[in-house]
Amino acid sequence: MNYPVWYLPGIGGGTLIALIAVVHVFISHFAVGGGLYLVLAERKGLREKNPGILDFTRRHTKFFLLVTMVAGGLTGVGIWFIISLVQPAATSLLIHTFVFGWAAEWVFFTVEIVALLVYYYTFGRMEERTHQAVGWVYFIAAWLSLFLINGIINFMLTPGDWLADRNFWSGFFNPSFWPGLFFRSCIAFLLAGVYAFLTTSLLKDLELKKTMTRFTGRWVFISCAAGLPFGLWYRAVLPNEARLLVDGASPTIARALEVGQWALAALILLSALLVLLKPRYHSLSLSLGVLACSFLLMGSFEWTREAARRPFVINGVLYSNSIAPGDVEGLSARGMLASARWAGQKDVHEESLLEAGEDLFRLQCYACHTVGGINNDIAIRTASMSYPVMLKYLETIHERRYFMPPFAGNAAEKRALAAFLVAGLHGKPIEAPAVAGGPGQAIFEGNCAFCHDEELVRERIAGWPREKVRRALDALSSLDPAMPDFEGSPAEKDLLADYLASPPAAGAVPAHHDPGEDVFESHCAMCHSLEGSANPLLPKIRGWQRDRLRGALDRLEQLSPAMPPLSATTEEKEALADFLTHSLQGGQR
């Protein structure tokens, strides 16, 4: 809100962060585990008095130095650059909260650079014990860098007591600190073996290749086995909302985890092939396959960890769109555009409705959604929604989708955003069609038709005098506990009572012919279309009978962990079941 938005609608800033971050952590974790690999490989060569192992370790050190210090250093700078552009508010908060932690990490990184350069350039020229000690200095400094960064990274997911006391140590030693540290350490040791498969594949001495391949393979298998309990511990300390997302409530996380599971299975299978079956004949292409699997595994973990924070970028502190939860109420009162320093429109006018809506999209939605892009495309997700439904959806978006931030802005801005999403992206009308029943029908359409068919309402109140209808509008929940009370003004209630108590006007056609379609639009259309490109529903339920459809609406979360329970009344579920049944029959009643 206080920073300009770097608007890249086709790819999204979050995708750029993910691309650079995954590459960086894939190298930086190797920089930790690979340091221990070097020390122990050299120790093995010294203990066995094997010059071949020592020569391999020296050459592997050069490879290690180039990958970690050059590629790792460049991607590390890239991380700071991209997060400062895409999430400047969160970056500023992390710097100010953990300034001494970052300073200490930079000290350890400097020690790493010096120790690794000394280790490489004095290989075979320094006294053995001293040279080993330099290697240990490098590894300890690298692991302490991981120790510090782990505390800051996990703070973003589980800030813990910091939310109450704002204490450095509360934020650093947060609930996921220890499981995260041990799990990442296992990943670092795993990658040490995976990268070493590359250099062992180039060995010409077949006996030496066999020896070092098996030595390297042990790093992979032991790290996988050790990492499993720490991964389960990590999951166990997540907040309830994050655990639900990880367990399948988020389709994107579910896909990422599926990729990670297949990558882990392939990684273990290929490593077993190298170590147990034909260690002498493993090739560079096979080693690259193992490396690719481990990259997908690392990407799956990082994507899941990042996405599990939703709707926050720093859990409980800043939403993904950089709005603090405590600011939502104030922004809703005074307006988002008037408060945003870099908004092009400062107010909403009818002639600039779409422009204001696009500004609001950039400020509130773009952090997670692209427009016609490769990740979380908002155009696909809003394709089946009408303007009235979009307005109602924005009012309760954080209740229907708890992993999305609430809308922050006044009523006019809500109209502008709905207009941009419906008219700006899809060219749909943004005004409700004129009704023949006057203001009473308009009130019915705007407040009641969302759940009730007008003909059904008229059947149920047939014979009621106008006074009884009017009294009922003051206490709807007493007629049916599932109905919320009508919150309109007394004048609106009078107009609605007049309309319902009078015969339908000649030529009046209710705008909502099927209440089940309204339920579908308000509860399902954000993720599903009936038939089309946006996750079509009808092909998935083809052949289902009405009773099966109705039963499924009571247990959606059991059918798919990615679907939340349907928060609708029994009457709404009945209407939705009827609508889906009719749709399966080609719309024939």
Short mmCIF file of all heavy atoms in Angstrom, two decimals, residues 260-282:
data_model
loop_
_atom_site.label_atom_id
_atom_site.label_comp_id
_atom_site.label_asym_id
_atom_site.label_seq_id
_atom_site.Cartn_x
_atom_site.Cartn_y
_atom_site.Cartn_z
N GLY A 260 6.36 -33.69 -5.65
CA GLY A 260 7.43 -34.00 -4.71
C GLY A 260 7.49 -35.48 -4.36
O GLY A 260 8.59 -36.07 -4.25
N GLN A 261 6.35 -36.12 -4.20
CA GLN A 261 6.33 -37.54 -3.87
C GLN A 261 6.88 -38.40 -5.01
O GLN A 261 7.67 -39.32 -4.78
CB GLN A 261 4.90 -37.96 -3.53
CG GLN A 261 4.40 -37.39 -2.21
CD GLN A 261 2.89 -37.53 -2.05
OE1 GLN A 261 2.19 -38.05 -2.92
NE2 GLN A 261 2.37 -37.06 -0.93
N TRP A 262 6.47 -38.07 -6.24
CA TRP A 262 7.00 -38.81 -7.38
C TRP A 262 8.49 -38.56 -7.56
O TRP A 262 9.25 -39.48 -7.90
CB TRP A 262 6.24 -38.42 -8.65
CG TRP A 262 4.89 -39.08 -8.76
CD1 TRP A 262 3.67 -38.49 -8.61
CD2 TRP A 262 4.63 -40.46 -9.04
NE1 TRP A 262 2.67 -39.41 -8.77
CE2 TRP A 262 3.23 -40.63 -9.04
CE3 TRP A 262 5.44 -41.56 -9.28
CZ2 TRP A 262 2.62 -41.86 -9.28
CZ3 TRP A 262 4.84 -42.79 -9.53
CH2 TRP A 262 3.45 -42.94 -9.53
N ALA A 263 8.92 -37.32 -7.31
CA ALA A 263 10.34 -37.00 -7.44
C ALA A 263 11.16 -37.76 -6.40
O ALA A 263 12.25 -38.27 -6.70
CB ALA A 263 10.55 -35.49 -7.28
N LEU A 264 10.65 -37.86 -5.16
CA LEU A 264 11.37 -38.59 -4.12
C LEU A 264 11.47 -40.07 -4.47
O LEU A 264 12.53 -40.69 -4.30
CB LEU A 264 10.66 -38.40 -2.78
CG LEU A 264 11.26 -39.16 -1.59
CD1 LEU A 264 12.69 -38.72 -1.34
CD2 LEU A 264 10.40 -38.94 -0.34
N ALA A 265 10.36 -40.64 -4.96
CA ALA A 265 10.38 -42.06 -5.34
C ALA A 265 11.40 -42.30 -6.46
O ALA A 265 12.18 -43.27 -6.40
CB ALA A 265 8.99 -42.50 -5.78
N ALA A 266 11.41 -41.42 -7.46
CA ALA A 266 12.37 -41.58 -8.56
C ALA A 266 13.79 -41.37 -8.09
O ALA A 266 14.72 -42.07 -8.53
CB ALA A 266 12.03 -40.59 -9.68
N LEU A 267 14.00 -40.41 -7.17
CA LEU A 267 15.33 -40.15 -6.63
C LEU A 267 15.88 -41.38 -5.92
O LEU A 267 17.03 -41.79 -6.13
CB LEU A 267 15.25 -38.97 -5.66
CG LEU A 267 16.47 -38.67 -4.80
CD1 LEU A 267 17.65 -38.27 -5.67
CD2 LEU A 267 16.16 -37.58 -3.79
N ILE A 268 15.05 -42.01 -5.08
CA ILE A 268 15.49 -43.20 -4.35
C ILE A 268 15.75 -44.36 -5.32
O ILE A 268 16.74 -45.10 -5.20
CB ILE A 268 14.44 -43.58 -3.30
CG1 ILE A 268 14.36 -42.49 -2.22
CG2 ILE A 268 14.77 -44.92 -2.66
CD1 ILE A 268 13.25 -42.69 -1.21
N LEU A 269 14.86 -44.51 -6.31
CA LEU A 269 15.01 -45.60 -7.28
C LEU A 269 16.30 -45.44 -8.09
O LEU A 269 17.08 -46.40 -8.23
CB LEU A 269 13.80 -45.63 -8.21
CG LEU A 269 13.80 -46.73 -9.27
CD1 LEU A 269 13.77 -48.11 -8.62
CD2 LEU A 269 12.61 -46.57 -10.21
N LEU A 270 16.55 -44.25 -8.61
CA LEU A 270 17.76 -44.03 -9.40
C LEU A 270 19.02 -44.15 -8.55
O LEU A 270 20.04 -44.68 -9.01
CB LEU A 270 17.70 -42.66 -10.07
CG LEU A 270 16.65 -42.49 -11.18
CD1 LEU A 270 16.63 -41.04 -11.67
CD2 LEU A 270 16.94 -43.43 -12.33
N SER A 271 18.95 -43.66 -7.32
CA SER A 271 20.12 -43.77 -6.43
C SER A 271 20.41 -45.23 -6.11
O SER A 271 21.57 -45.65 -6.05
CB SER A 271 19.87 -42.98 -5.14
OG SER A 271 19.68 -41.62 -5.42
N ALA A 272 19.35 -46.01 -5.90
CA ALA A 272 19.54 -47.44 -5.64
C ALA A 272 20.16 -48.12 -6.85
O ALA A 272 21.03 -49.00 -6.72
CB ALA A 272 18.21 -48.09 -5.29
N LEU A 273 19.74 -47.68 -8.04
CA LEU A 273 20.34 -48.24 -9.25
C LEU A 273 21.83 -47.94 -9.32
O LEU A 273 22.64 -48.81 -9.67
CB LEU A 273 19.62 -47.65 -10.47
CG LEU A 273 20.12 -48.10 -11.84
CD1 LEU A 273 19.86 -49.58 -12.05
CD2 LEU A 273 19.43 -47.29 -12.95
N LEU A 274 22.20 -46.72 -8.95
CA LEU A 274 23.61 -46.34 -8.98
C LEU A 274 24.42 -47.07 -7.93
O LEU A 274 25.54 -47.53 -8.18
CB LEU A 274 23.74 -44.83 -8.76
CG LEU A 274 23.29 -43.90 -9.90
CD1 LEU A 274 23.38 -42.47 -9.45
CD2 LEU A 274 24.14 -44.13 -11.14
N VAL A 275 23.88 -47.18 -6.73
CA VAL A 275 24.67 -47.67 -5.60
C VAL A 275 24.66 -49.19 -5.51
O VAL A 275 25.70 -49.81 -5.27
CB VAL A 275 24.13 -47.05 -4.29
CG1 VAL A 275 24.85 -47.62 -3.08
CG2 VAL A 275 24.27 -45.55 -4.33
N LEU A 276 23.51 -49.81 -5.71
CA LEU A 276 23.38 -51.23 -5.42
C LEU A 276 23.57 -52.11 -6.65
O LEU A 276 24.07 -53.24 -6.54
CB LEU A 276 22.00 -51.51 -4.83
CG LEU A 276 21.66 -50.75 -3.53
CD1 LEU A 276 20.24 -51.06 -3.10
CD2 LEU A 276 22.66 -51.11 -2.43
N LEU A 277 23.19 -51.62 -7.84
CA LEU A 277 23.19 -52.49 -9.00
C LEU A 277 24.44 -52.31 -9.88
O LEU A 277 25.18 -53.26 -10.10
CB LEU A 277 21.93 -52.25 -9.83
CG LEU A 277 20.61 -52.53 -9.08
CD1 LEU A 277 19.41 -52.26 -9.98
CD2 LEU A 277 20.58 -53.97 -8.58
N LYS A 278 24.67 -51.08 -10.38
CA LYS A 278 25.78 -50.88 -11.29
C LYS A 278 26.55 -49.61 -10.96
O LYS A 278 26.59 -48.67 -11.75
CB LYS A 278 25.28 -50.82 -12.73
CG LYS A 278 24.71 -52.14 -13.23
CD LYS A 278 24.39 -52.06 -14.72
CE LYS A 278 23.91 -53.40 -15.24
NZ LYS A 278 23.62 -53.35 -16.69
N PRO A 279 27.21 -49.57 -9.79
CA PRO A 279 27.94 -48.35 -9.43
C PRO A 279 29.10 -48.04 -10.37
O PRO A 279 29.49 -46.88 -10.50
CB PRO A 279 28.43 -48.66 -8.02
CG PRO A 279 28.43 -50.15 -7.91
CD PRO A 279 27.31 -50.62 -8.77
N ARG A 280 29.65 -49.05 -11.03
CA ARG A 280 30.79 -48.78 -11.92
C ARG A 280 30.37 -48.08 -13.20
O ARG A 280 31.17 -47.41 -13.84
CB ARG A 280 31.47 -50.10 -12.31
CG ARG A 280 32.22 -50.77 -11.19
CD ARG A 280 33.03 -51.91 -11.72
NE ARG A 280 33.83 -52.55 -10.68
CZ ARG A 280 34.82 -53.40 -10.93
NH1 ARG A 280 35.13 -53.69 -12.17
NH2 ARG A 280 35.50 -53.94 -9.95
N TYR A 281 29.12 -48.25 -13.59
CA TYR A 281 28.71 -47.80 -14.91
C TYR A 281 27.74 -46.62 -14.88
O TYR A 281 27.10 -46.34 -15.89
CB TYR A 281 28.07 -48.97 -15.67
CG TYR A 281 28.99 -50.16 -15.74
CD1 TYR A 281 28.71 -51.31 -15.03
CD2 TYR A 281 30.15 -50.11 -16.51
CE1 TYR A 281 29.56 -52.41 -15.07
CE2 TYR A 281 31.01 -51.20 -16.56
CZ TYR A 281 30.71 -52.35 -15.84
OH TYR A 281 31.56 -53.42 -15.88
N HIS A 282 27.63 -45.97 -13.74
CA HIS A 282 26.69 -44.86 -13.74
C HIS A 282 27.25 -43.72 -14.59
O HIS A 282 28.45 -43.44 -14.59
CB HIS A 282 26.34 -44.45 -12.30
CG HIS A 282 27.17 -43.37 -11.70
ND1 HIS A 282 28.18 -43.64 -10.82
CD2 HIS A 282 27.13 -42.02 -11.84
CE1 HIS A 282 28.74 -42.50 -10.41
NE2 HIS A 282 28.11 -41.50 -11.03
#
